[in-house]
Amino acid sequence: MSAAALVDRWPLVGRWDELDVVERAATASTADGVLLFGHAGVGKTRLADEMRRHLERGGRSSRRAIASQAVAAAPFGALAHLLPAEVTAHGSAQDPADLFRRAADAFAAQGAPLVLVIDDLHLLDATSLALLTQLVANGLVFLLGTVRSDADMPDGVDALVRSDRVIRIDLGVLARGDVETLLHLALGGPVDGSTIAALWEASAGNVLLLRELVLASRATNALRDIDGVWTLTGALPTTGRLGELLTARLGSVDAEAMPVLEALACSQRIALDHALELSSHDALDELERNGLITIVVDDRRRSVMLGHPLFGELLRASLGVLRRQRLLADEAARVERDGARRREDALLIASWRLEAGAVTDVELLLRAARVARYAHDFRQVERLAAAAHRESPTAESAHVWGEALYELGSFDEAEAVLGPADDAAAARNDPRPADIDVATARAVNLLWGLQRPDDALAVRRRARESVPSEDAAAFLRAGEASVFIFSGRPAEALAFLASAPAVEQPRARVARAIAEAPALALFGRTQDALAAARRGFSEHSALGNVGALTHPGSHIVAEVLALTDAGALADALELAGAIHEIAVADGVPIPRMWATLILGRVTLFTGRPATARRWFMECAALAGTTGFVAIRRLALSGVGMCAAQLGDANAAITATEGIAPVPGDRTFLAPELWIGPGWTAFAQADPARARDLLRTGADEAEGSGHRTSESWLLHDIARLGAPEAVAARLIELAAVCDSPLITTRANHAAALARRDGSALADVVEQFSALGALLYAAEAAVAASDSFRRAGDTRLATAMQEQSASLVAQCERAMTPALVSAGDVVPLTRREREIATLAAEGLSSKDIAERLFLSARTVDNHLQRVFTKLGVTRRGELGDALARREDDA
Amino acid sequence: MTPDQIGLVISSIEELRPRSDAFARRFYEELFTLEPDARELFPEDMTLQRVKLFKELDEIAHAIPLLDTFVGRAQHLGAEHVGFGVQRKHYTAFGTVLISVLGEILGDDFTPELAEAWRVAYNLVSDSMQRGALEL
């Protein structure tokens, strides 16, 4: 039997369960795709192909693509030929968003979802992956993908796998029984027992390896038919490594057939006509019969592809760099000569030329960069735009390149690109739209990346003063307001916007909303903020992707801030959770960072410090990787306050060590940077310093117009035992804001200051209604104590019970206000020892020296003593200890 | 399959022939216990069905040495069974029951080697049948 005949009759064996899954998923529409995971050679490609053919027999149409490093170099590289021609034809719209939409429309028009086979899906370029994810999510295609389970998984694939509309199948090696059946069927007759054992052992059930072993031993005639029984008469090939076997097979290919294989290694798919120019008909025929290539037909075009992705990998590895570059250049020239019918052909040409080290069309490179940008593939954008800019620098190339550098966290490099371009525009004094994009990108980088808000403001102001049109000025003015709000100046932002003329132009209106909604929220104009955020989001969505605007999710962040203050904590949490899910699915770290920040904030308000701590930690990590120093500090402050409220002093200290807030900090939500250190000081048994830090933060907030932050800071002072110091200002704040949360905080502080049991009981109801359960629990404890002091045991007990059931929902929060005066939690001997010394007036350092402990350990013990005794000042320790003695 | 295994399967069919009705009776009892919903795929009166079961086993076992005939027959059988409403899970159940009832009927004659030969043979048959079912 010839090798060709062997390849030809190599049957599919032992994968009937998997086929069954696909058939049911596709015909009953219970899923929109199947991903086959497995190591190289387990038969993923073959199975996917069999599934595709099976669905075709059921009347579905299908297309096939192989992803690889070779085609991933260009956006849409692997999918280009699958996109309907009318989508990618020359002269169609340049806007990538439009391209995505047209692709979706074209697939939708197909009737039953097209079956899309994508081999080595993990190697897809990010743009193709983004498009594919959209198509799958909308049920427009049925995906059959193969994924190498030993490969690195890009974020996008992860999102696809986690989608409940995509079924994941892990394909293992074949069982021994299946190997026996396969050999029997493939060889066409009984196989000798020791031959089966040898092949089973050498292949370990890897189908491709098994096939290559059979082919190799057939070629040497070591495996032959003896009296009707297939018998191994010699040794199997010494190497049992798949790659080496395949390489050996590729090496034995006719010299005449090589050009086609090499071209395929570089470009994955070539037209049949072109393949016939490279090699003879007979050579192609031989390659096809040996399974090295396959001929595919779609859209009436016949093309040649490699029979297995591994061939491409091995061929590319064997080509030298120069040979590869020459092949790419040839291929680019060939596609161009034959007429690049499709837009993406052009992108591919540009990208190949770039990789081949040849001069290429700058406009094409930029177009490719914009397509990649739409899919958030900033590494690709950076590569393409940098090449375009080096070849011929323009404002456009500077903008695309600089923005990508900023997105990748290379802030100094971004300024090095954007700065000169912006300065040149300033000198020219003849502003064009691209100049405004440059100024905007530069200002964003200066504000967020380099933390130079004043320079950011100056860049924006200069750009605004240079534009003649009022629409452009309105847009830039909104950007200036953004700098104010995101550098911690909500009052200035609002004043600036109030003095600005009304805006009609849609893009400028959206830009204005991006600044105005959070400013209104932080300034305590809750309902106005909600309205602005919702209007901004709907207008932004209607606008589509127009560039120079942040992610539409920023409106949602503002809406969550406003909902929090509006006291709709459950809604705020749900919305924040939703945007987090979207950001995770999209694989975009910056929106994810914002989502985790607001999730941490809202979760803490609901009274779940442990969950909130996890959100803040995730946010800090994301902000660390994206370079958002300001957000990282805020998140760490959050980690600190949560850890302290859980009684974990060491974690609080570690988290807040690097925050170091200073008065006049010019960062987003700067006053809230003081909350983490404040609680940490309390956890270190220094309540006086805790209150000082919180007070400084509150003063900062008052000065800059962070009314909601101010109310948070002041309320925490009340919770740490000094309600009388803050009640009056909290009431003032409640009066100028329309926030139920702020109002309830004021009521709480006032009732605490008056030790008014029934007012505190009301506050319990109010906080419970908002969903702020820790605050409610603390108010209930205080109410119980007040009733008990007033001699009303019945109400005191009722409140005590209520507080217990509330605390049970607060994840082991250990705040001082949860300790009732009536509680007696025994002190350990060490705690009593330290408390007694502290009551005598010794500092932590003195106690530490005397007891041979570290000062930090002493503080930790003291903090627990404070909590157990329900005191908040060192001065109260003596009395509290004395009361304990009396009780005892 | 090795030639030895093919020989073992064919000679065990001869051993089974005098006890074929008992074998078929026990086979369906066990099958319907394991897969109760398979009962609906068969007629009320199983007399003829029992005869058909053994006849099919007989013919297909004897066809193994002639692979093309064997594969053709198995694929045709598989395609036919789609029409009867046979599903993927029934193949697994059929195999399990086949081996256990063969052991029960043949007793000590059902050596581990013979059991292995039948397992391999059934794998070959069911694989070909399922390929036939797919290409219907």
Side-chain angles (χ1 to χ4, degrees):
Chain A
M1 182 179 303
S2 71
L6 254 178
V7 168
D8 204 39
R9 67 184 295 166
W10 198 259
L12 182 78
V13 163
R15 302 298 193 196
W16 309 109
D17 283 338
E18 289 82 2
L19 271 166
D20 213 35
V21 167
V22 171
E23 167 152 44
R24 266 183 287 130
T27 51
S29 297
T30 51
D32 297 313
V34 171
L35 290 180
L36 299 172
F37 279 70
H39 289 279
V42 293
K44 302 182 296 293
T45 300
R46 174 62 195 277
L47 181 56
D49 218 41
E50 208 61 59
M51 290 167 164
R52 174 179 68 89
R53 262 187 263 159
H54 183 52
L55 294 176
E56 273 187 343
R57 278 193 292 270
R60 305 284 284 266
S61 357
S62 73
R63 300 280 174 85
R64 177 166 182 252
I66 302 180
S68 74
Q69 269 123 15
V71 283
F76 287 137
L79 291 190
H81 68 283
L82 301 179
L83 299 175
E86 64 272 24
V87 171
T88 54
H90 263 310
S92 68
Q94 295 285 312
D95 176 12
D98 189 47
L99 190 129
F100 269 55
R101 201 168 45 245
R102 282 153 152 278
D105 289 349
F107 278 105
Q110 302 251 347
L114 186 76
V115 177
L116 215 53
V117 181
I118 302 194
D119 241 322
D120 280 353
L121 187 115
H122 54 281
L123 293 177
L124 269 190
D125 61 283
T127 313
S128 296
L129 200 53
L131 174 63
L132 185 65
T133 307
Q134 288 190 13
L135 293 174
V136 171
N138 292 311
L140 298 175
V141 297
F142 187 84
L143 172 67
L144 284 174
T146 72
V147 184
R148 283 268 288 274
S149 43
D150 50 346
D152 287 339
M153 199 72 60
D155 287 349
V157 175
D158 205 45
L160 261 181
V161 177
R162 277 188 287 98
S163 150
D164 54 1
R165 296 291 297 170
V166 174
I167 298 171
R168 174 188 173 132
I169 295 179
D170 287 285
L171 218 53
V173 294
L174 282 189
R176 174 160 177 156
D178 290 329
V179 168
E180 290 183 36
T181 299
L182 178 53
L183 286 172
H184 195 131
L185 292 172
L187 291 164
V191 186
D192 160 70
S194 56
T195 303
I196 291 175
L199 285 167
W200 158 250
E201 225 158 80
S203 68
N206 183 302
V207 195
L208 191 58
L209 184 50
L210 181 70
R211 189 181 78 168
E212 293 305 315
L213 286 166
V214 168
L215 286 174
S217 47
R218 281 291 298 127
T220 59
N221 213 24
L223 176 65
R224 59 190 143 139
D225 184 344
I226 298 178
D227 299 332
V229 181
W230 288 97
T231 311
L232 196 60
T233 57
L236 281 173
T238 44
T239 169
R241 301 254 320 272
L242 182 58
E244 289 166 34
L245 282 170
L246 291 174
T247 308
R249 192 135 82 87
L250 287 169
S252 69
V253 165
D254 246 26
E256 211 205 337
M258 251 352 249
V260 168
L261 290 182
E262 289 186 343
L264 283 171
C266 297
S267 51
Q268 218 53 247
R269 158 190 295 252
I270 55 181
L272 183 58
D273 294 346
H274 175 51
L276 285 167
E277 286 169 21
L278 296 170
S279 302
S280 73
H281 191 281
D282 286 349
L284 286 186
D285 205 36
E286 183 69 15
L287 287 176
E288 191 191 9
R289 280 188 297 121
N290 285 323
L292 287 168
I293 60 169
T294 57
I295 313 278
V296 291
V297 182
D298 37 52
D299 258 11
R300 293 176 302 279
R301 285 175 311 186
R302 293 204 290 168
S303 332
V304 180
M305 294 174 86
L306 288 170
H308 194 279
L310 275 177
F311 290 139
E313 219 167 275
L314 295 166
L315 282 165
R316 276 192 296 281
S318 70
L319 294 173
V321 174
L322 290 175
R323 173 100 185 104
R324 190 164 133 68
Q325 291 196 344
R326 231 206 64 216
L327 283 166
L328 283 169
D330 285 354
E331 192 59 14
R334 205 266 312 158
V335 174
E336 203 162 51
R337 186 199 68 208
D338 291 355
R341 275 183 301 169
R342 299 156 168 262
R343 218 160 92 84
E344 275 57 44
D345 281 349
L347 298 187
L348 218 46
I349 295 169
S351 192
W352 283 340
R353 286 251 163 84
L354 180 55
E355 212 168 322
V359 175
T360 187
D361 183 349
V362 170
E363 186 41 45
L364 219 50
L365 282 174
L366 270 184
R367 227 161 72 192
R370 280 194 207 100
V371 172
R373 174 176 181 263
Y374 183 72
H376 306 287
D377 185 0
F378 290 107
R379 270 176 222 297
Q380 191 77 264
V381 177
E382 203 268 333
R383 194 177 71 94
L384 295 163
H389 192 75
R390 289 201 184 100
E391 193 59 43
S392 154
T394 59
E396 282 86 0
S397 60
H399 166 232
V400 179
W401 187 19
E403 184 196 58
L405 285 168
Y406 162 74
E407 295 283 351
L408 293 169
S410 308
F411 307 131
D412 289 320
E413 289 90 333
E415 171 62 12
V417 172
L418 294 165
D422 185 43
D423 293 342
R428 199 162 5 89
N429 203 20
D430 167 27
R432 289 188 298 244
D435 295 333
I436 295 173
D437 290 342
V438 167
T440 304
R442 185 186 188 190
V444 167
N445 184 50
L446 284 168
L447 173 65
W448 288 108
L450 296 171
Q451 318 250 354
R452 286 156 48 189
D454 293 331
D455 292 340
L457 207 55
V459 165
R460 285 193 183 275
R461 185 161 295 154
R462 196 211 34 80
R464 168 167 60 86
E465 284 164 356
S466 74
V467 294
S469 106
E470 176 43 38
D471 281 350
F475 177 74
L476 291 164
R477 212 175 275 119
E480 285 173 72
S482 274
V483 177
F484 282 124
I485 185 66
F486 292 116
S487 61
R489 288 172 276 182
E492 272 179 85
L494 288 178
F496 179 79
L497 285 171
S499 70
V503 184
E504 289 309 324
Q505 200 255 345
R507 192 167 80 130
R509 282 176 62 85
V510 171
R512 182 182 166 119
I514 287 171
E516 193 164 28
L520 288 167
L522 301 185
F523 198 64
R525 285 170 56 185
T526 309
Q527 291 305 322
D528 291 344
L530 268 180
R534 285 170 180 163
R535 199 172 53 237
F537 183 75
S538 74
E539 291 185 10
H540 199 149
S541 306
L543 209 54
N545 188 333
V546 292
L549 284 174
T550 52
H551 194 277
S554 42
H555 304 284
I556 307 273
V557 172
E559 186 173 349
V560 171
L561 289 174
L563 279 172
T564 309
D565 293 324
L569 294 186
D571 293 348
L573 204 55
E574 195 185 325
L575 194 57
I579 188 166
H580 179 253
E581 258 174 47
I582 292 169
V584 169
D586 284 354
V588 281
I590 295 174
R592 222 175 111 195
M593 172 194 80
W594 283 105
T596 48
L597 180 72
I598 53 178
L599 272 168
R601 216 165 163 269
V602 182
T603 307
L604 182 59
F605 290 148
T606 65
R608 289 178 298 143
T611 307
R613 172 154 78 158
R614 283 199 296 277
W615 285 125
F616 282 129
M617 286 173 81
E618 190 179 335
C619 177
L622 284 165
T625 55
T626 50
F628 277 75
V629 181
I631 302 300
R632 185 175 154 78
R633 290 169 76 207
L634 263 183
L636 288 174
S637 174
V639 174
M641 60 186 101
C642 292
Q645 293 182 22
L646 290 161
D648 188 348
N650 289 339
I653 294 165
T654 311
T656 52
E657 252 160 15
I659 303 176
V662 290
D665 245 327
R666 284 265 175 97
T667 62
F668 183 60
L669 281 175
E672 296 181 7
L673 291 173
W674 299 84
I675 305 178
W679 278 91
T680 304
F682 179 79
Q684 289 173 282
D686 196 345
R689 199 166 142 262
R691 285 188 292 266
D692 276 353
L693 288 165
L694 293 171
R695 168 60 74 186
T696 312
D699 290 345
E700 287 288 300
E702 184 175 1
S704 51
H706 284 92
R707 287 173 172 172
T708 62
S709 311
E710 187 186 356
S711 104
W712 182 2
L713 283 145
L714 293 175
H715 183 235
D716 278 0
I717 294 177
R719 295 168 66 205
L720 289 177
E724 56 291 330
V726 296
R729 174 62 185 160
L730 274 170
I731 290 166
E732 269 175 44
L733 279 172
V736 292
C737 300
D738 60 342
S739 156
L741 184 61
I742 294 177
T743 303
T744 312
R745 281 179 182 144
N747 294 345
H748 187 196
L752 279 173
R754 293 198 312 271
R755 301 181 169 213
D756 180 338
S758 31
L760 283 164
D762 287 344
V763 169
V764 174
E765 290 312 311
Q766 291 161 20
F767 274 136
S768 298
L770 301 181
L773 302 189
L774 180 55
Y775 295 165
E778 290 180 355
V781 170
S784 171
D785 285 351
S786 298
F787 285 132
R788 184 163 290 115
R789 259 192 308 276
D792 193 335
T793 322
R794 191 185 57 81
L795 279 175
T797 311
M799 274 294 137
Q800 198 175 354
E801 277 164 10
Q802 196 170 352
S803 77
S805 82
L806 286 164
V807 170
Q809 301 170 63
C810 294
E811 302 184 327
R812 295 166 184 272
M814 285 179 50
T815 54
L818 287 178
V819 182
S820 160
D823 288 352
V824 180
V825 186
L827 298 182
T828 64
R829 225 176 61 203
R830 182 63 99 186
E831 284 167 0
R832 178 168 297 276
E833 190 177 17
I834 291 172
T836 311
L837 292 171
E840 286 167 12
L842 267 72
S843 72
S844 294
K845 196 162 152 279
D846 293 339
I847 300 171
E849 276 172 17
R850 192 177 293 191
L851 299 178
F852 303 105
L853 295 170
S854 75
R856 189 179 268 205
T857 307
V858 170
D859 286 342
N860 288 346
H861 281 296
L862 268 179
Q863 201 266 328
R864 279 196 291 276
V865 171
F866 280 27
T867 307
K868 286 181 179 179
L869 297 181
V871 302
T872 52
R873 293 180 169 82
R874 282 182 181 233
E876 296 168 1
L877 274 175
D879 288 346
L881 285 170
R883 270 203 307 278
R884 280 290 171 100
E885 301 294 329
D886 296 346
D887 292 345
Chain B
M1 287 183 86
T2 68
D4 291 351
Q5 288 175 326
I6 297 176
L8 282 172
V9 167
I10 292 176
S11 58
S12 70
I13 283 280
E14 295 312 320
E15 254 183 89
L16 204 59
R17 197 176 300 279
R19 286 173 274 176
S20 63
D21 191 62
F23 165 78
R25 200 178 289 276
R26 281 294 297 132
F27 177 86
Y28 284 114
E29 275 172 27
E30 287 296 310
L31 182 66
F32 299 151
T33 312
L34 194 65
E35 281 294 335
D37 61 342
R39 182 65 188 90
E40 293 168 22
L41 308 176
F42 292 91
E44 191 77 19
D45 180 0
M46 292 290 289
T47 318
L48 186 61
Q49 193 63 38
R50 287 198 292 273
V51 175
K52 270 162 95 179
L53 172 73
F54 186 75
K55 186 168 163 279
E56 203 59 67
L57 273 183
D58 186 15
E59 283 182 16
I60 212 153
H62 281 91
I64 298 176
L66 309 157
L67 190 72
D68 290 342
T69 316
F70 164 83
V71 168
R73 184 173 188 93
Q75 293 195 357
H76 174 75
L77 206 60
E80 213 173 57
H81 277 70
V82 177
F84 301 152
V86 170
Q87 298 163 29
R88 162 70 203 150
K89 60 174 183 175
H90 297 132
Y91 282 98
T92 317
F94 195 105
T96 313
V97 172
L98 178 71
I99 302 295
S100 86
V101 174
L102 277 172
E104 183 187 314
I105 300 289
L106 294 176
D108 287 347
D109 292 341
F110 198 61
T111 60
E113 292 74 32
L114 181 57
E116 179 58 22
W118 268 103
R119 254 191 290 277
V120 177
Y122 180 69
N123 207 348
L124 202 56
V125 175
S126 69
D127 203 88
S128 301
M129 283 181 73
Q130 290 182 77
R131 189 167 309 101
L134 202 69
E135 279 157 20
L136 179 75

